[in-house]
Amino acid sequence: MAKKATREAYGEALKKLAASNPNVVVLDADLSGSTKTVEFKKVCPERFYNVGIAEQNLIGTAAGMAIAGKVAFASTFAMFAAGRAFEIIRNTVAYPSLNVKIAATHAGLTVGEDGASHQAIEDISLMRSIPNMTVINPADCIEAEKAILKAAEYVGPVYIRLGRAAVENIYDDSYEFEIGKGVELRKGTDVTIIATGLMVQKSLKAAEELEKDGISARVINIHTIKPIDKDIIIQAAKETGAIVTAEEHSIIGGLGSAVLEVLSDSCPVPLKRVGVLDVFGESGKPDELLEKYHLTENNILQECKNIIKQKK
Amino acid sequence: MNYEDLTLITHKMRENILNMIHTANSGHPGGSLSAVEIVTYLYFKEMNIENPTDENRDRFILSKGHAAPVLYSALMEKGFLDKGLIGTLRQIDSKLQGHPDMKKVPGVEASTGSLGQGLAISNGIALANKYDNKSNRVFVLLGDGEIQEGMVWEAAMLSSHYKLDNLTAILDHNGLQIDGKNEDVMKVEPLDKKWEAFGWHVIKADGHDFNSLEKAFEERKTIKDKPVIIIAETVKGKGVSFMEDKAGWHGKAPNADELDIALKEVGGDK
């Protein structure tokens, strides 16, 4: 199957928005070729604004655009959006709940060769801790494009996490995306894998392997980490009795933490988190990094087997 | 409106500010009082704003958000905000947050308070207005200590790069910040050369003199294809003798006795 990065889907979605929504403006901080906002610039240069290498300015300017009635998409790498501009996002965008969409690309370890300085593995944690913020992490290009189009319709701040590396599509064009609604991709009764982003594909493969060993694993895609779909998580906990979460993000504060918060409030069951183990990454090819930092389908599979032993 | 009428408004503005901060028993009198003439001139002479929701209004962004009382006071004198709220500044359940909240107060154009962000916000509004071919102007008030924030200079570059002649910044140059004089804490001079180097047209004014302010804002109208900054020389705590030019009154409320003296001095009790 042809693979494509979710940032490519962002470029495609922006081209559609250029034609369909005259209120959309796009801002970038000198990374338009990488973030794919250049696709918008090509078809709609009059509504494209480069702010230079100045991420605080990127978010502040987008906030002003939103105050003036625009749907402002602001893009840079996730490290510099969620990281460097955190406080501007918190105070100037989210506090007054402005209509700014932060489409942050190059998230996670799979930035690859640029190394730890560019690998945002804390962004979900940072963004979901801010009141009023919606946090979306699409699994494939179909989902990414639909999520961006939905985010443009939604009124309020949204953080959309996009990747550099190409990923396989798990959905087809008939897929209907709804903000805040988890998706059960595979039925199962022994354990549930709750995944987000490119770990969804790996979770589906892990579930196929588990089936060969007679283990029935449910797979849920949580594309919206905030507001999170509590119902689908609680139902999975009740019906399968064990959860493994999988994310290309630190195990601190991301999807795993969000799921734990839901379960500790409502239905505690044994849970294992597959994610980056509170360490920085390094340079390397995306697949090498995922292997070294324990983000493979085999890691998910092993955690499923481990957690099943802990079930009451 | 003539200068005498504007001066009468400044009396009320200062009275409101002092009463608000005294009742709250916290807040920032120094930087609120230094901006009174500037904000009064903007709301009662310069800006096109007859109601806070008019599509075509000029917008004022208080980047130095800790001077919230001067903004609330202007909105009250303008009739956009209930004067009965004076005693609620910084109190629980009040609209009058310690720093301006655009969701709570009609007329507050942006939520500010974290320093250094107002110019970028103003740029965004000015860019959008230009795209929409709207003639609305944007005015943003910066503190002189505030421009030590790096983000101000990111934004300053953008304003001139995009030739934002619908944007005017006013620098409330009172020379003081929390820890003392600008020149001791972190030198900000030479202000004119810095802003000119960033592509701005610089106008100097006396920030407490309406004649000087009027000249500055009239000169502004003649400048095309450039953002303009009016560097307004001001006195922190202006109008209250014991507060004037004292860094200690940056963030301290007057007690009852001090309030009595202060109100007499600003002419607000007449």
Side-chain angles (χ1 to χ4, degrees), chain A residues 4-7 9-10 13 135-151 160-162 167-185 195-201 220-225:
Chain A
K4 214 167 73 166
T6 49
R7 62 186 167 126
Y10 176 45
V135 180
I136 300 175
N137 185 29
D140 73 359
C141 284
I142 306 268
E143 186 165 79
E145 183 171 330
K146 288 177 188 277
I148 286 150
L149 297 175
K150 277 281 161 75
I160 305 154
R161 187 185 208 235
L162 301 166
V167 291
E168 291 169 14
N169 273 346
I170 53 171
Y171 292 109
D172 60 34
D173 287 333
S174 66
Y175 173 58
E176 287 184 21
F177 175 89
E178 191 181 335
I179 292 174
K181 193 86 185 141
V183 185
E184 185 181 287
L185 293 171
T196 190
L198 59 76
M199 296 303 281
V200 174
Q201 284 85 333
I220 292 170
N221 171 20
I222 294 289
H223 50 66
T224 307
I225 294 160

Side-chain angles (χ1 to χ4, degrees), chain B residues 106-120:
Chain B
V108 169
E109 302 282 9
S111 296
T112 54
S114 172
L115 292 176
Q117 302 188 26
L119 187 54

Side-chain angles (χ1 to χ4, degrees), chain A residues 51-290:
Chain A
V51 305
I53 308 169
E55 293 79 14
Q56 303 174 81
N57 195 32
L58 172 78
I59 301 298
T61 310
M65 294 278 216
I67 286 172
K70 302 299 176 193
V71 182
F73 278 80
S75 286
T76 179
F77 291 181
M79 177 56 70
F80 313 125
R84 196 181 195 110
F86 173 82
E87 196 258 2
I88 297 68
I89 295 172
R90 192 258 189 205
N91 275 327
T92 297
V93 172
Y95 175 38
S97 203
L98 295 179
N99 205 11
V100 174
K101 320 300 170 184
I102 301 153
T105 67
H106 296 63
L109 291 179
T110 52
V111 171
E113 292 83 348
D114 278 349
S117 63
H118 284 52
Q119 292 163 347
I121 51 173
E122 310 85 354
D123 56 324
I124 294 173
S125 176
L126 287 165
M127 290 296 109
R128 83 181 183 91
S129 68
I130 303 176
N132 293 340
M133 184 62 81
T134 292
V135 180
I136 300 175
N137 185 29
D140 73 359
C141 284
I142 306 268
E143 186 165 79
E145 183 171 330
K146 288 177 188 277
I148 286 150
L149 297 175
K150 277 281 161 75
E153 288 172 21
Y154 170 85
V155 179
V158 181
Y159 179 81
I160 305 154
R161 187 185 208 235
L162 301 166
R164 171 182 181 240
V167 291
E168 291 169 14
N169 273 346
I170 53 171
Y171 292 109
D172 60 34
D173 287 333
S174 66
Y175 173 58
E176 287 184 21
F177 175 89
E178 191 181 335
I179 292 174
K181 193 86 185 141
V183 185
E184 185 181 287
L185 293 171
R186 187 184 170 101
K187 293 188 186 309
T189 51
D190 297 328
V191 61
T192 300
I193 308 167
I194 299 178
T196 190
L198 59 76
M199 296 303 281
V200 174
Q201 284 85 333
K202 296 183 189 301
S203 300
L204 286 167
K205 287 175 187 164
E208 280 172 32
E209 288 301 310
L210 286 164
E211 192 176 328
K212 291 176 189 167
D213 292 334
I215 296 169
S216 166
R218 183 177 302 188
V219 177
I220 292 170
N221 171 20
I222 294 289
H223 50 66
T224 307
I225 294 160
K226 187 185 181 185
I228 202 160
D229 186 344
K230 292 179 185 171
D231 293 344
I232 202 169
I233 293 168
I234 292 165
Q235 189 185 358
K238 285 181 178 162
E239 291 175 4
T240 68
I243 307 274
V244 171
T245 61
E247 61 196 306
E248 189 199 2
H249 184 275
S250 170
I251 58 163
I252 298 173
L255 172 71
S257 297
V259 171
L260 276 167
E261 287 158 19
V262 171
L263 293 180
S264 74
D265 284 346
S266 309
C267 181
V269 295
L271 184 144
K272 289 277 187 189
R273 287 168 291 162
V274 173
V276 183
L277 300 174
D278 194 22
V279 292
F280 290 107
E282 65 186 78
S283 292
K285 293 189 177 68
D287 285 342
E288 293 170 342
L289 288 160
L290 294 175

Side-chain angles (χ1 to χ4, degrees), chain B residues 86-267:
Chain B
I86 280 181
T88 72
L89 176 72
R90 292 175 166 246
Q91 311 293 313
I92 194 78
D93 296 329
S94 173
K95 291 178 181 178
L96 305 189
Q97 294 294 294
H99 296 86
D101 180 339
M102 66 183 287
K103 290 289 184 187
K104 289 197 164 71
V105 179
V108 169
E109 302 282 9
S111 296
T112 54
S114 172
L115 292 176
Q117 302 188 26
L119 187 54
I121 298 168
S122 303
N123 281 338
I125 298 170
L127 282 169
N129 284 351
K130 270 201 179 279
Y131 176 77
D132 290 334
N133 284 320
K134 286 183 178 171
S135 58
N136 321 21
R137 298 168 299 162
V138 184
F139 297 90
V140 53
L141 184 66
L142 305 170
D144 51 7
E146 177 182 22
I147 64 168
Q148 291 161 0
E149 291 279 4
M151 185 180 169
V152 171
W153 300 99
E154 294 183 3
M157 265 188 275
L158 188 147
S159 318
S160 63
H161 180 83
Y162 283 99
K163 301 183 169 62
L164 296 180
D165 53 9
N166 54 348
L167 172 77
T168 305
I170 304 101
L171 187 73
D172 181 358
H173 188 25
N174 60 40
L176 295 175
Q177 56 192 104
I178 298 178
D179 276 353
K181 295 179 181 173
N182 298 151
E183 63 194 66
D184 294 332
V185 177
M186 180 53 61
K187 192 173 75 167
V188 296
E189 302 283 354
L191 289 166
D192 49 354
K193 286 185 181 147
K194 278 198 177 86
W195 287 93
E196 278 162 9
F198 277 74
W200 287 60
H201 179 83
V202 175
I203 301 171
K204 293 187 179 177
D206 177 337
H208 298 305
D209 181 80
F210 288 124
N211 186 35
S212 177
L213 286 170
E214 179 160 22
K215 277 185 188 152
F217 282 104
E218 290 308 309
E219 180 182 337
R220 194 280 162 262
K221 295 184 178 84
T222 67
I223 307 300
K224 303 296 175 201
D225 299 325
K226 265 189 171 189
V228 168
I229 184 162
I230 296 170
I231 298 177
E233 296 300 327
T234 59
V235 175
K236 196 151 183 161
K238 175 73 176 179
V240 179
S241 58
F242 57 88
M243 290 185 181
E244 283 191 1
D245 210 26
K246 299 276 194 309
W249 285 99
H250 172 88
K252 191 173 86 169
N255 63 29
D257 292 341
E258 289 162 340
L259 179 70
D260 281 346
I261 300 166
L263 287 177
K264 289 193 180 91
E265 290 187 5
V266 301

